[in-house]
Every structure is written in structure tokens, then in C-alpha cells.
Amino acid sequence: MALKDITTRLTPLEIMQDAPVIPVIVLQDRTQAVAMARALVAGGIRMLEVTLRTPVALACIEAIAKEVPEAVVGAGTVRSAADAQAAALAGARFAVSPGYTQEVGKACHDLGLPLLPGVATGSEIMQAQEGGYTALKFFPALPAGGTAMLKAWHGPFNDVRFCPTGGITAGNAREFLALPNVACVGGSWLVPTDALASQDWARITRLASEAAGLPRG
């Protein structure tokens, strides 16, 4: 999918359809953010989920938003309206949450921040749909049932598209991507901790290129 002008607002489904994988990124050092983002973009991965799990996460989002305009940086682990607001102020273009609450859904809607809400049960899918969300993160994908659960959901929720995250690796991503209700997967393998530590940007670009080339059903 060719990415539209990123000065315009993207829909959650467009974010999920841009590439087969959205990298789940945990950064401990702000100085690594820009080079890492450029390495991912060079490999064909532009939707970048920087998780709000470290004290420097917002600063990393801000740096990527300002210095890597060809990337679309989002905030992961958004758990509250305050998280959503802070992410938007830092320059995040989308948000990803580990679960779904009306508070987070409304906050992102009011901010104009596309949200990929996390779900793990049928009831949670229905709650997210009531909030207007049909492009959802399936989390934690492997512990919550993996491909078998997604196949079971395809009947009653055939209007929903998922981004399975949690336990997804280069080894099993193809199994998920082959499913008709999976738009992409989320995974941390594109940005390994040791590659960050050694600033091995060429390795990250290679991993991104391999991920960008994965087939989808």
C-alpha cells in the first residue's frame, strides 16, 4: 500500500495495512531514536510504535516526529486519557493500547488520534465496536489463543481486522498474516535490544526489509 500524504490523518486500518509488521519499540536512550527510525524506514517500515514504558519514550517520539518526517510515529502502551494527550503533544500520529476503555477511546477520538485498541475476548471486541473501533490489536496474541482464536472470531466478527501482538516472531508471523482477518502483526524482533546497544542500524534495516516483504493473506 502506498502511504498517503502523512500530513493528513490516517485511519487505524490504513495504519495497519501499510506494512505487514508494526514494530513494537522500547527505547531507553533518546539519542538512539532518530537513527533507529531512519533504519526502519530504510527497510520499508514506516509505522513505528514507541511504547510508553520508559521515562524517555515521549522524548523519543518527539525526536522522531521532528527529525524523521517520512516515518509515522505512534505511542504504544497508552493506558489513560493523560497518556493519549501526552503522546499527541509529543507528535504521535497514532496510539496503541493494551486494552480498551471508553475513557481512552473518547480521549483519542477527541484528540483526533487514531487508536488501535487492545482486545483479548469477544466481549472486549464488542465494547471496542460500540466505541466505533473495528481495527483492533489482539493482545497478548499467543497466550490469548493465537491463530485458533482469530479463526474462531472470523465468523461472528467478520467486519473486524486485527493486529496480533504478543509472542509474534519472525518464525510465526506468516501463520498470522495468512489469516483473512489479520491486517498486520506487531512485533519487537525488528528492533532487538542488542542491535540498539551496539547501534547496528544495518541489522535493523535488514530485519525491517525482511518484515516488509512478508506475504499477507
Side-chain angles (χ1 to χ4, degrees):
M1 173 184 171
L3 183 63
K4 66 167 68 174
D5 179 357
I6 61 174
T7 62
T8 63
R9 181 183 173 190
L10 295 163
T11 68
L13 186 58
E14 286 172 333
I15 290 164
M16 285 170 37
Q17 289 178 330
D18 188 62
V21 184
I22 294 177
V24 180
I25 304 163
V26 180
L27 291 169
Q28 305 286 349
D29 185 346
R30 182 193 177 282
T31 65
Q32 297 174 338
V34 169
M36 177 222 61
R38 287 175 176 158
L40 288 167
V41 170
I45 299 294
R46 297 173 287 190
M47 302 294 166
L48 314 183
E49 177 190 342
V50 176
T51 62
L52 301 183
R53 301 180 191 176
T54 68
V56 299
L58 290 170
C60 291
I61 290 170
E62 184 175 12
I64 295 169
K66 288 181 177 178
E67 299 184 46
V68 193
E70 60 272 36
V72 179
V73 62
T77 322
V78 172
R79 298 175 11 184
S80 66
D83 284 345
Q85 184 172 26
L89 287 172
R93 297 290 308 281
F94 65 94
V96 184
S97 59
Y100 176 75
T101 66
Q102 290 182 348
E103 178 194 29
V104 170
K106 184 178 185 303
C108 288
H109 179 271
D110 292 347
L111 289 163
L113 191 65
L115 172 67
L116 307 182
V119 297
T121 68
S123 295
E124 292 169 357
I125 294 172
M126 292 167 65
Q127 290 167 10
Q129 285 187 297
E130 287 177 1
Y133 295 97
T134 57
L136 310 176
K137 169 182 173 176
F138 175 34
F139 177 80
L142 256 62
T147 56
M149 182 66 83
L150 286 162
K151 289 174 183 177
W153 280 343
H154 186 50
F157 300 115
N158 58 22
D159 56 339
V160 177
R161 293 297 176 266
F162 296 96
C163 173
T165 305
I168 311 299
T169 67
N172 64 17
R174 288 173 183 263
E175 301 172 38
F176 286 88
L177 289 167
L179 300 178
N181 55 347
V182 170
C184 69
V185 299
S188 59
W189 82 88
L190 278 68
V191 186
T193 303
D194 58 340
L196 277 176
S198 62
Q199 300 186 36
D200 190 348
W201 311 127
R203 180 184 172 196
I204 290 175
T205 294
R206 176 177 57 79
L207 291 170
S209 180
E210 291 170 356
L214 287 171
R216 288 187 272 197

